[in-house]
mmCIF file of all heavy atoms in Angstrom:
data_model
loop_
_atom_site.group_PDB
_atom_site.id
_atom_site.type_symbol
_atom_site.label_atom_id
_atom_site.label_comp_id
_atom_site.label_asym_id
_atom_site.label_seq_id
_atom_site.Cartn_x
_atom_site.Cartn_y
_atom_site.Cartn_z
ATOM 1 N N LEU A 271 43.276 219.315 -145.032
ATOM 2 C CA LEU A 271 42.089 218.590 -144.634
ATOM 3 C C LEU A 271 41.281 218.158 -145.842
ATOM 4 O O LEU A 271 40.674 217.094 -145.850
ATOM 5 C CB LEU A 271 41.220 219.454 -143.713
ATOM 6 C CG LEU A 271 41.720 219.578 -142.280
ATOM 7 C CD1 LEU A 271 40.871 220.566 -141.513
ATOM 8 C CD2 LEU A 271 41.724 218.236 -141.589
ATOM 9 N N ALA A 273 42.434 217.171 -148.589
ATOM 10 C CA ALA A 273 43.079 215.972 -149.125
ATOM 11 C C ALA A 273 42.755 214.735 -148.313
ATOM 12 O O ALA A 273 42.942 213.616 -148.779
ATOM 13 C CB ALA A 273 44.595 216.173 -149.158
ATOM 14 N N LEU A 274 42.257 214.920 -147.075
ATOM 15 C CA LEU A 274 41.945 213.770 -146.233
ATOM 16 C C LEU A 274 40.796 212.950 -146.781
ATOM 17 O O LEU A 274 40.734 211.755 -146.571
ATOM 18 C CB LEU A 274 41.557 214.236 -144.821
ATOM 19 C CG LEU A 274 42.659 214.749 -143.919
ATOM 20 C CD1 LEU A 274 42.060 215.220 -142.614
ATOM 21 C CD2 LEU A 274 43.698 213.683 -143.671
ATOM 22 N N SER A 275 39.850 213.609 -147.462
ATOM 23 C CA SER A 275 38.616 212.917 -147.797
ATOM 24 C C SER A 275 38.251 213.099 -149.244
ATOM 25 O O SER A 275 37.575 214.041 -149.610
ATOM 26 C CB SER A 275 37.470 213.435 -146.910
ATOM 27 O OG SER A 275 36.278 212.776 -147.231
ATOM 28 N N LEU A 276 38.712 212.167 -150.077
ATOM 29 C CA LEU A 276 38.342 212.201 -151.474
ATOM 30 C C LEU A 276 36.848 212.005 -151.631
ATOM 31 O O LEU A 276 36.214 212.602 -152.495
ATOM 32 C CB LEU A 276 39.093 211.109 -152.235
ATOM 33 C CG LEU A 276 40.603 211.283 -152.354
ATOM 34 C CD1 LEU A 276 41.200 210.045 -153.026
ATOM 35 C CD2 LEU A 276 40.945 212.514 -153.150
ATOM 36 N N SER A 277 36.264 211.165 -150.784
ATOM 37 C CA SER A 277 34.845 210.894 -150.914
ATOM 38 C C SER A 277 34.009 212.103 -150.541
ATOM 39 O O SER A 277 32.905 212.282 -151.037
ATOM 40 C CB SER A 277 34.457 209.703 -150.045
ATOM 41 O OG SER A 277 34.744 209.950 -148.691
ATOM 42 N N ALA A 278 34.523 212.952 -149.669
ATOM 43 C CA ALA A 278 33.756 214.116 -149.248
ATOM 44 C C ALA A 278 33.841 215.240 -150.266
ATOM 45 O O ALA A 278 32.899 215.986 -150.454
ATOM 46 C CB ALA A 278 34.256 214.622 -147.900
ATOM 47 N N ILE A 323 34.337 218.585 -145.348
ATOM 48 C CA ILE A 323 34.940 217.422 -144.719
ATOM 49 C C ILE A 323 33.910 216.707 -143.847
ATOM 50 O O ILE A 323 33.226 217.321 -143.034
ATOM 51 C CB ILE A 323 36.154 217.832 -143.854
ATOM 52 C CG1 ILE A 323 37.312 218.279 -144.745
ATOM 53 C CG2 ILE A 323 36.606 216.683 -142.966
ATOM 54 C CD1 ILE A 323 37.907 217.177 -145.575
ATOM 55 N N SER A 324 33.804 215.385 -144.025
ATOM 56 C CA SER A 324 32.908 214.583 -143.204
ATOM 57 C C SER A 324 33.657 214.100 -141.967
ATOM 58 O O SER A 324 34.655 213.384 -142.081
ATOM 59 C CB SER A 324 32.403 213.377 -144.015
ATOM 60 O OG SER A 324 31.650 212.505 -143.207
ATOM 61 N N VAL A 325 33.188 214.512 -140.802
ATOM 62 C CA VAL A 325 33.773 214.058 -139.542
ATOM 63 C C VAL A 325 33.007 212.812 -139.110
ATOM 64 O O VAL A 325 31.808 212.863 -138.844
ATOM 65 C CB VAL A 325 33.698 215.152 -138.465
ATOM 66 C CG1 VAL A 325 34.205 214.606 -137.135
ATOM 67 C CG2 VAL A 325 34.503 216.364 -138.890
ATOM 68 N N ASP A 326 33.697 211.684 -139.059
ATOM 69 C CA ASP A 326 33.040 210.415 -138.791
ATOM 70 C C ASP A 326 33.033 210.032 -137.314
ATOM 71 O O ASP A 326 32.226 209.209 -136.893
ATOM 72 C CB ASP A 326 33.730 209.302 -139.593
ATOM 73 C CG ASP A 326 33.609 209.520 -141.096
ATOM 74 O OD1 ASP A 326 32.470 209.481 -141.586
ATOM 75 O OD2 ASP A 326 34.636 209.746 -141.756
ATOM 76 N N TYR A 327 33.948 210.589 -136.544
ATOM 77 C CA TYR A 327 34.021 210.226 -135.130
ATOM 78 C C TYR A 327 34.771 211.304 -134.366
ATOM 79 O O TYR A 327 35.757 211.864 -134.853
ATOM 80 C CB TYR A 327 34.756 208.890 -134.967
ATOM 81 C CG TYR A 327 35.097 208.541 -133.533
ATOM 82 C CD1 TYR A 327 34.154 207.956 -132.699
ATOM 83 C CD2 TYR A 327 36.369 208.795 -133.028
ATOM 84 C CE1 TYR A 327 34.468 207.634 -131.379
ATOM 85 C CE2 TYR A 327 36.693 208.475 -131.703
ATOM 86 C CZ TYR A 327 35.739 207.902 -130.896
ATOM 87 O OH TYR A 327 36.047 207.591 -129.599
ATOM 88 N N VAL A 339 39.844 212.642 -133.551
ATOM 89 C CA VAL A 339 38.895 212.871 -134.639
ATOM 90 C C VAL A 339 39.255 211.970 -135.819
ATOM 91 O O VAL A 339 40.424 211.857 -136.196
ATOM 92 C CB VAL A 339 38.926 214.346 -135.099
ATOM 93 C CG1 VAL A 339 37.941 214.578 -136.252
ATOM 94 C CG2 VAL A 339 38.602 215.290 -133.940
ATOM 95 N N ILE A 340 38.233 211.326 -136.395
ATOM 96 C CA ILE A 340 38.423 210.570 -137.633
ATOM 97 C C ILE A 340 37.700 211.324 -138.740
ATOM 98 O O ILE A 340 36.492 211.578 -138.651
ATOM 99 C CB ILE A 340 37.879 209.141 -137.527
ATOM 100 C CG1 ILE A 340 38.617 208.377 -136.429
ATOM 101 C CG2 ILE A 340 38.018 208.417 -138.866
ATOM 102 C CD1 ILE A 340 38.043 207.001 -136.145
ATOM 103 N N ALA A 341 38.443 211.706 -139.757
ATOM 104 C CA ALA A 341 37.885 212.437 -140.902
ATOM 105 C C ALA A 341 38.532 211.894 -142.172
ATOM 106 O O ALA A 341 39.750 211.854 -142.279
ATOM 107 C CB ALA A 341 38.141 213.937 -140.773
ATOM 108 N N GLY A 342 37.704 211.456 -143.111
ATOM 109 C CA GLY A 342 38.242 210.923 -144.355
ATOM 110 C C GLY A 342 39.116 209.717 -144.173
ATOM 111 O O GLY A 342 40.060 209.489 -144.933
ATOM 112 N N GLY A 343 38.828 208.911 -143.153
ATOM 113 C CA GLY A 343 39.610 207.717 -142.899
ATOM 114 C C GLY A 343 40.928 207.975 -142.191
ATOM 115 O O GLY A 343 41.690 207.050 -141.953
ATOM 116 N N GLN A 344 41.196 209.236 -141.856
ATOM 117 C CA GLN A 344 42.459 209.598 -141.218
ATOM 118 C C GLN A 344 42.210 210.031 -139.773
ATOM 119 O O GLN A 344 41.157 210.552 -139.431
ATOM 120 C CB GLN A 344 43.135 210.743 -141.975
ATOM 121 C CG GLN A 344 43.372 210.446 -143.437
ATOM 122 C CD GLN A 344 44.304 209.271 -143.668
ATOM 123 O OE1 GLN A 344 45.326 209.153 -142.991
ATOM 124 N NE2 GLN A 344 43.974 208.414 -144.609
ATOM 125 N N LEU A 345 43.218 209.807 -138.945
ATOM 126 C CA LEU A 345 43.131 210.185 -137.534
ATOM 127 C C LEU A 345 43.861 211.496 -137.299
ATOM 128 O O LEU A 345 45.015 211.666 -137.699
ATOM 129 C CB LEU A 345 43.765 209.092 -136.679
ATOM 130 C CG LEU A 345 43.650 209.252 -135.161
ATOM 131 C CD1 LEU A 345 42.201 209.086 -134.729
ATOM 132 C CD2 LEU A 345 44.524 208.223 -134.457
ATOM 133 N N ILE A 346 43.178 212.459 -136.689
ATOM 134 C CA ILE A 346 43.786 213.736 -136.330
ATOM 135 C C ILE A 346 43.388 214.073 -134.895
ATOM 136 O O ILE A 346 42.493 213.441 -134.318
ATOM 137 C CB ILE A 346 43.362 214.884 -137.282
ATOM 138 C CG1 ILE A 346 41.829 215.000 -137.337
ATOM 139 C CG2 ILE A 346 43.933 214.680 -138.675
ATOM 140 C CD1 ILE A 346 41.335 216.122 -138.246
ATOM 141 N N GLN A 357 48.307 216.422 -136.839
ATOM 142 C CA GLN A 357 48.177 215.263 -137.720
ATOM 143 C C GLN A 357 49.558 214.660 -137.913
ATOM 144 O O GLN A 357 50.537 215.386 -138.067
ATOM 145 C CB GLN A 357 47.593 215.655 -139.078
ATOM 146 C CG GLN A 357 47.379 214.476 -140.016
ATOM 147 C CD GLN A 357 46.920 214.908 -141.388
ATOM 148 O OE1 GLN A 357 47.099 216.059 -141.767
ATOM 149 N NE2 GLN A 357 46.337 213.991 -142.129
ATOM 150 N N THR A 370 48.817 206.899 -133.031
ATOM 151 C CA THR A 370 48.029 206.999 -134.251
ATOM 152 C C THR A 370 47.803 205.643 -134.901
ATOM 153 O O THR A 370 46.864 205.470 -135.679
ATOM 154 C CB THR A 370 48.701 207.952 -135.262
ATOM 155 O OG1 THR A 370 50.066 207.540 -135.458
ATOM 156 C CG2 THR A 370 48.689 209.378 -134.765
ATOM 157 N N GLN A 371 48.653 204.668 -134.610
ATOM 158 C CA GLN A 371 48.494 203.342 -135.190
ATOM 159 C C GLN A 371 47.778 202.375 -134.249
ATOM 160 O O GLN A 371 47.430 201.266 -134.655
ATOM 161 C CB GLN A 371 49.866 202.767 -135.558
ATOM 162 C CG GLN A 371 50.570 203.511 -136.675
ATOM 163 C CD GLN A 371 49.774 203.508 -137.970
ATOM 164 O OE1 GLN A 371 49.231 202.493 -138.365
ATOM 165 N NE2 GLN A 371 49.692 204.666 -138.618
ATOM 166 N N SER A 373 45.002 203.299 -132.264
ATOM 167 C CA SER A 373 43.731 203.879 -131.842
ATOM 168 C C SER A 373 42.592 202.874 -131.981
ATOM 169 O O SER A 373 42.276 202.433 -133.089
ATOM 170 C CB SER A 373 43.406 205.118 -132.683
ATOM 171 O OG SER A 373 42.046 205.480 -132.550
ATOM 172 N N ALA A 375 39.450 203.472 -131.736
ATOM 173 C CA ALA A 375 38.368 204.100 -132.501
ATOM 174 C C ALA A 375 38.620 203.983 -133.997
ATOM 175 O O ALA A 375 37.710 203.707 -134.779
ATOM 176 C CB ALA A 375 38.222 205.568 -132.106
ATOM 177 N N LEU A 376 39.873 204.197 -134.417
ATOM 178 C CA LEU A 376 40.198 204.114 -135.835
ATOM 179 C C LEU A 376 40.060 202.677 -136.333
ATOM 180 O O LEU A 376 39.534 202.434 -137.425
ATOM 181 C CB LEU A 376 41.614 204.631 -136.091
ATOM 182 C CG LEU A 376 42.068 204.674 -137.551
ATOM 183 C CD1 LEU A 376 41.129 205.529 -138.399
ATOM 184 C CD2 LEU A 376 43.497 205.198 -137.650
ATOM 185 N N SER A 377 40.512 201.714 -135.525
ATOM 186 C CA SER A 377 40.365 200.314 -135.916
ATOM 187 C C SER A 377 38.895 199.929 -136.049
ATOM 188 O O SER A 377 38.505 199.227 -136.996
ATOM 189 C CB SER A 377 41.056 199.406 -134.889
ATOM 190 O OG SER A 377 42.455 199.578 -134.928
ATOM 191 N N TYR A 379 36.380 201.964 -136.694
ATOM 192 C CA TYR A 379 35.863 202.648 -137.885
ATOM 193 C C TYR A 379 36.207 201.855 -139.147
ATOM 194 O O TYR A 379 35.358 201.620 -140.015
ATOM 195 C CB TYR A 379 36.466 204.051 -137.950
ATOM 196 C CG TYR A 379 36.197 204.790 -139.236
ATOM 197 C CD1 TYR A 379 34.966 205.382 -139.484
ATOM 198 C CD2 TYR A 379 37.185 204.907 -140.214
ATOM 199 C CE1 TYR A 379 34.718 206.071 -140.676
ATOM 200 C CE2 TYR A 379 36.953 205.593 -141.399
ATOM 201 C CZ TYR A 379 35.719 206.163 -141.625
ATOM 202 O OH TYR A 379 35.486 206.837 -142.801
ATOM 203 N N ARG A 380 37.452 201.423 -139.253
ATOM 204 C CA ARG A 380 37.870 200.655 -140.431
ATOM 205 C C ARG A 380 37.152 199.307 -140.485
ATOM 206 O O ARG A 380 36.692 198.880 -141.549
ATOM 207 C CB ARG A 380 39.387 200.435 -140.384
ATOM 208 C CG ARG A 380 40.210 201.681 -140.630
ATOM 209 C CD ARG A 380 41.657 201.423 -140.284
ATOM 210 N NE ARG A 380 42.546 202.510 -140.701
ATOM 211 C CZ ARG A 380 43.802 202.635 -140.296
ATOM 212 N NH1 ARG A 380 44.309 201.749 -139.438
ATOM 213 N NH2 ARG A 380 44.543 203.638 -140.718
ATOM 214 N N LEU A 383 33.617 199.718 -141.697
ATOM 215 C CA LEU A 383 33.569 199.982 -143.128
ATOM 216 C C LEU A 383 33.845 198.721 -143.935
ATOM 217 O O LEU A 383 33.176 198.442 -144.937
ATOM 218 C CB LEU A 383 34.585 201.065 -143.502
ATOM 219 C CG LEU A 383 34.087 202.514 -143.489
ATOM 220 C CD1 LEU A 383 35.249 203.467 -143.767
ATOM 221 C CD2 LEU A 383 32.989 202.734 -144.517
ATOM 222 N N ASP A 486 35.095 203.116 -153.473
ATOM 223 C CA ASP A 486 34.575 204.173 -152.594
ATOM 224 C C ASP A 486 34.880 203.862 -151.134
ATOM 225 O O ASP A 486 35.321 204.730 -150.375
ATOM 226 C CB ASP A 486 33.068 204.327 -152.793
ATOM 227 C CG ASP A 486 32.461 205.345 -151.844
ATOM 228 O OD1 ASP A 486 32.823 206.523 -151.940
ATOM 229 O OD2 ASP A 486 31.638 204.956 -150.985
ATOM 230 N N VAL A 487 34.671 202.613 -150.723
ATOM 231 C CA VAL A 487 34.983 202.219 -149.342
ATOM 232 C C VAL A 487 36.475 202.401 -149.080
ATOM 233 O O VAL A 487 36.884 202.880 -148.017
ATOM 234 C CB VAL A 487 34.550 200.774 -149.062
ATOM 235 C CG1 VAL A 487 35.064 200.301 -147.700
ATOM 236 C CG2 VAL A 487 33.027 200.661 -149.103
ATOM 237 N N GLY A 488 37.303 202.041 -150.057
ATOM 238 C CA GLY A 488 38.741 202.229 -149.903
ATOM 239 C C GLY A 488 39.106 203.686 -149.677
ATOM 240 O O GLY A 488 39.944 204.006 -148.821
ATOM 241 N N GLN A 489 38.477 204.576 -150.426
ATOM 242 C CA GLN A 489 38.727 206.005 -150.224
ATOM 243 C C GLN A 489 38.304 206.442 -148.831
ATOM 244 O O GLN A 489 39.027 207.171 -148.146
ATOM 245 C CB GLN A 489 37.961 206.823 -151.267
ATOM 246 C CG GLN A 489 38.536 206.744 -152.674
ATOM 247 C CD GLN A 489 37.790 207.653 -153.626
ATOM 248 O OE1 GLN A 489 36.564 207.737 -153.603
ATOM 249 N NE2 GLN A 489 38.524 208.338 -154.483
ATOM 250 N N ARG A 490 37.143 205.972 -148.394
ATOM 251 C CA ARG A 490 36.622 206.384 -147.099
ATOM 252 C C ARG A 490 37.434 205.805 -145.947
ATOM 253 O O ARG A 490 37.491 206.398 -144.861
ATOM 254 C CB ARG A 490 35.148 205.977 -146.992
ATOM 255 C CG ARG A 490 34.237 206.767 -147.917
ATOM 256 C CD ARG A 490 32.930 206.057 -148.185
ATOM 257 N NE ARG A 490 32.137 205.869 -146.999
ATOM 258 C CZ ARG A 490 31.101 205.036 -146.940
ATOM 259 N NH1 ARG A 490 30.774 204.298 -147.976
ATOM 260 N NH2 ARG A 490 30.410 204.937 -145.820
ATOM 261 N N ILE A 491 38.067 204.673 -146.193
ATOM 262 C CA ILE A 491 38.877 204.058 -145.135
ATOM 263 C C ILE A 491 40.271 204.662 -145.090
ATOM 264 O O ILE A 491 41.041 204.428 -144.152
ATOM 265 C CB ILE A 491 38.936 202.530 -145.340
ATOM 266 C CG1 ILE A 491 39.073 201.795 -144.007
ATOM 267 C CG2 ILE A 491 40.069 202.115 -146.275
ATOM 268 C CD1 ILE A 491 38.929 200.300 -144.124
ATOM 269 N N GLY A 492 40.616 205.452 -146.123
ATOM 270 C CA GLY A 492 41.900 206.134 -146.125
ATOM 271 C C GLY A 492 42.971 205.468 -146.966
ATOM 272 O O GLY A 492 44.159 205.765 -146.797
ATOM 273 N N VAL A 493 42.591 204.565 -147.892
ATOM 274 C CA VAL A 493 43.584 203.913 -148.752
ATOM 275 C C VAL A 493 44.234 204.964 -149.654
ATOM 276 O O VAL A 493 43.545 205.733 -150.319
ATOM 277 C CB VAL A 493 42.930 202.817 -149.617
ATOM 278 C CG1 VAL A 493 43.939 202.244 -150.620
ATOM 279 C CG2 VAL A 493 42.377 201.700 -148.738
ATOM 280 N N SER A 494 45.550 204.986 -149.656
ATOM 281 C CA SER A 494 46.284 205.938 -150.492
ATOM 282 C C SER A 494 47.201 205.236 -151.485
ATOM 283 O O SER A 494 47.827 205.881 -152.319
ATOM 284 C CB SER A 494 47.113 206.890 -149.619
ATOM 285 O OG SER A 494 48.017 206.174 -148.806
ATOM 286 N N TYR A 500 44.608 194.948 -144.338
ATOM 287 C CA TYR A 500 43.953 195.172 -143.053
ATOM 288 C C TYR A 500 43.695 193.838 -142.358
ATOM 289 O O TYR A 500 43.275 192.860 -142.980
ATOM 290 C CB TYR A 500 42.619 195.907 -143.244
ATOM 291 C CG TYR A 500 42.806 197.312 -143.771
ATOM 292 C CD1 TYR A 500 42.882 197.546 -145.143
ATOM 293 C CD2 TYR A 500 42.940 198.399 -142.912
ATOM 294 C CE1 TYR A 500 43.078 198.828 -145.637
ATOM 295 C CE2 TYR A 500 43.136 199.688 -143.408
ATOM 296 C CZ TYR A 500 43.209 199.889 -144.765
ATOM 297 O OH TYR A 500 43.420 201.148 -145.252
ATOM 298 N N GLY A 504 40.522 195.573 -138.069
ATOM 299 C CA GLY A 504 40.594 196.891 -138.675
ATOM 300 C C GLY A 504 41.969 197.523 -138.655
ATOM 301 O O GLY A 504 42.164 198.596 -139.228
ATOM 302 N N GLN A 506 45.482 198.475 -139.827
ATOM 303 C CA GLN A 506 46.178 198.468 -141.106
ATOM 304 C C GLN A 506 47.581 197.907 -140.891
ATOM 305 O O GLN A 506 48.353 198.413 -140.082
ATOM 306 C CB GLN A 506 46.264 199.856 -141.728
ATOM 307 C CG GLN A 506 46.909 199.815 -143.115
ATOM 308 C CD GLN A 506 46.821 201.130 -143.860
ATOM 309 O OE1 GLN A 506 46.374 202.142 -143.328
ATOM 310 N NE2 GLN A 506 47.242 201.128 -145.121
#
Side-chain angles (χ1 to χ4, degrees):
L271 284 174
L274 287 177
S275 180
L276 293 175
S277 60
I323 290 293
S324 174
V325 175
D326 297 296
Y327 170 82
V339 179
I340 299 174
Q344 304 298 317
L345 186 68
I346 55 179
Q357 182 185 20
T370 53
Q371 294 300 316
S373 164
L376 183 57
S377 292
Y379 171 78
R380 289 168 171 167
L383 269 175
D486 176 64
V487 171
Q489 287 184 318
R490 291 159 63 195
I491 210 171
V493 174
S494 58
Y500 294 87
Q506 184 171 6

